[in-house]
Amino acid sequence: MGPFAFATSLFLFLIEICQQVDGIGSKCDIYKGKWVFDASYPLYNSSNCPFIHQEFNCQNNGRPDRLYQNFRWQPTSCNLPRFNGKDFLRKFRGKRIMFVGDSLGLNQWQSLTCLLHIATPQDPYISQRVAAISTFSFPTYGVSIMFLRNAFLVEIVNEKDRRVLKLNSIGNGRIWKGYDVLIFDTWHWWLLTGRKQPWDYVQDNNITRKDMNRTVAYKKALRTWARWVNLNVDPAKTKVFFQGVSPDHVDSRDWADPTAKTCRGETWPILSTEYPGGSPSPQDVLKRALRSVSKKVHLLDITGLSQLRKDGHPSAFGYGGHRGNDCTHWCLPGVPDTWNELLFATLIQT
């Protein structure tokens, strides 16, 4: 490609990006809106994304309905740009993006890798896992998308044959450094008890307890994370996002349906703009924590719009099959694809 052709191509690409930004508008709240039927969705077919984890691959696990894939998020005051994988890869050429968190972060990471792979199916990709870091890279563009499993963000340390959750310590924060984009999440593991709980004691400063109020512990861990961001992030080099609390649908009373029990059997979203059950308290805790961060952190405020998608979970078509009922994670393709459309829109604006 000659210099003139390259300059022309770059100019047209920048115009396209500016048009997308203008379509969003600085005063538009992209998180306020409703779900609308759109036959042009989903953005990809699960059969064309061979690396989707079994627990998210609802169609491959036998889910008989597909309507849940045909809904698009429509903000009230503007239009959300349709995800464009090639634009994403061009914009982030040579960049590294890391998701840090629990299986809901994994859910979004898997969605993004599918969206990018489908956009350039002819381009090679490399998928590998080393220790706790999963990496999906596109050598043609020099783009790497990582996922680091760290469900609490703070660390768990083995001390004298006991596992201690340390609310004031981030042991692997060094791994988070040097990335162009960081996307964090945490909440669901804070609720685990019994055999599923991955720690034996919880330590707050110099006080070690067998247990404590989980919401309080969550709040203290977020404060520790906020201090790490303030001390270690250079906003000129790294954009930081925090995924809002991903809602579950384990109790139909939350969406005021006496005929249901859980998400199982749900095939249709809530088409209003408000969720009957209101905002979950952990989301309010998260928002307060983010206000304490002096560096710029973007809240990926997916909670409210995801609450309206009681139909989007694997339920009996996840990892556990018909013996399970997963009303926490999300089918792919599905709701996390919208999370990544919102991520892309925010990245364009910034």
Side-chain angles (χ1 to χ4, degrees):
M1 180 183 293
F4 179 77
F6 174 77
T8 301
S9 176
L10 178 62
F11 177 70
L12 292 174
F13 170 62
L14 291 174
I15 287 178
E16 183 179 352
I17 292 295
C18 289
Q19 287 174 338
Q20 290 175 332
V21 173
D22 185 61
I24 299 171
S26 59
K27 295 182 179 180
C28 175
D29 186 348
I30 57 177
Y31 300 104
K32 296 294 184 182
K34 62 181 181 180
W35 292 95
V36 297
F37 180 81
D38 189 332
S40 70
Y41 277 64
L43 296 170
Y44 57 91
N45 191 304
S46 59
S47 63
N48 295 326
C49 191
F51 41 82
I52 296 179
H53 288 197
Q54 180 183 350
E55 60 262 41
F56 308 140
N57 199 342
C58 301
Q59 289 298 310
N60 197 53
N61 293 334
R63 181 165 176 170
D65 62 304
R66 293 178 178 269
L67 190 63
Y68 68 94
Q69 298 180 340
N70 300 128
F71 285 90
R72 170 176 57 81
W73 179 247
Q74 176 60 58
T76 302
S77 304
C78 59
N79 292 317
L80 189 65
R82 190 180 180 94
F83 189 91
N84 188 315
K86 288 186 178 180
D87 279 358
F88 190 104
L89 289 167
R90 288 197 295 258
K91 182 176 177 62
F92 287 93
R93 184 182 294 273
K95 305 294 185 182
R96 299 193 306 158
I97 299 170
M98 174 175 273
F99 290 82
V100 183
D102 58 25
S103 53
L104 278 309
L106 174 65
N107 220 167
Q108 186 177 359
W109 174 79
Q110 279 254 287
S111 162
L112 183 57
T113 58
C114 285
L115 288 165
L116 296 177
H117 169 62
I118 295 302
T120 59
Q122 73 285 352
D123 289 331
Y125 66 83
I126 299 172
S127 179
Q128 60 183 354
R129 179 173 178 176
V130 178
I133 301 179
S134 299
T135 302
F136 199 98
S137 55
F138 297 85
T140 303
Y141 295 89
V143 174
S144 296
I145 317 290
M146 285 84 162
F147 171 72
L148 172 62
R149 186 178 291 275
N150 186 341
F152 299 96
L153 299 185
V154 293
E155 66 178 330
I156 297 175
V157 177
N158 290 315
E159 294 181 348
K160 299 178 181 178
D161 297 323
R162 63 182 190 176
R163 301 165 300 173
V164 181
L165 176 64
K166 294 180 174 287
L167 300 180
N168 312 107
S169 177
I170 293 180
N172 60 4
R174 66 189 184 281
I175 303 176
W176 306 350
K177 295 181 180 181
Y179 286 88
D180 299 284
V181 180
L182 289 169
I183 303 133
F184 294 94
D185 87 285
T186 184
W187 168 242
H188 286 276
W189 280 62
W190 292 93
L191 300 175
L192 298 182
T193 59
R195 292 184 177 181
K196 293 184 178 180
Q197 177 181 302
W199 49 268
D200 305 306
Y201 293 86
V202 58
Q203 185 180 91
D204 178 23
N205 292 317
N206 295 322
I207 301 175
T208 301
R209 302 179 177 91
K210 187 67 177 175
D211 205 348
M212 65 183 294
N213 180 286
R214 301 306 178 85
T215 302
V216 173
Y218 169 66
K219 182 190 302 184
K220 290 178 179 290
L222 288 176
R223 288 176 183 169
T224 301
W225 169 86
R227 286 195 295 272
W228 183 91
V229 172
N230 286 335
L231 291 172
N232 293 281
V233 169
D234 180 354
K237 298 179 180 179
T238 303
K239 292 181 173 64
V240 180
F241 289 82
F242 209 109
Q243 181 198 93
V245 172
S246 176
D248 58 40
H249 290 91
V250 298
D251 187 346
S252 65
R253 290 176 295 183
D254 290 341
W255 62 92
D257 183 359
T259 66
K261 291 184 178 180
T262 68
C263 72
R264 192 164 188 160
E266 296 290 339
T267 60
W268 198 264
I270 297 170
L271 297 180
S272 64
T273 58
E274 299 292 336
Y275 186 65
S279 177
S281 59
Q283 177 72 354
D284 300 329
V285 172
L286 172 60
K287 288 182 177 180
R288 287 195 294 271
L290 295 185
R291 285 195 290 269
S292 72
V293 184
S294 60
K295 304 293 178 67
K296 180 65 174 177
V297 177
H298 303 273
L299 173 62
L300 198 61
D301 198 1
I302 53 88
T303 305
L305 62 94
S306 302
Q307 284 181 310
L308 303 174
R309 293 306 306 271
K310 56 186 172 61
D311 59 318
H313 299 286
S315 65
F317 304 100
Y319 184 77
H322 291 282
R323 294 169 299 179
N325 189 32
D326 185 353
C327 294
T328 298
H329 300 99
W330 304 91
C331 296
L332 292 179
V335 173
D337 302 325
T338 296
W339 301 352
N340 283 315
E341 287 189 297
L342 293 162
L343 172 66
F344 183 48
T346 306
L347 286 168
I348 290 173
Q349 285 182 300
T350 57

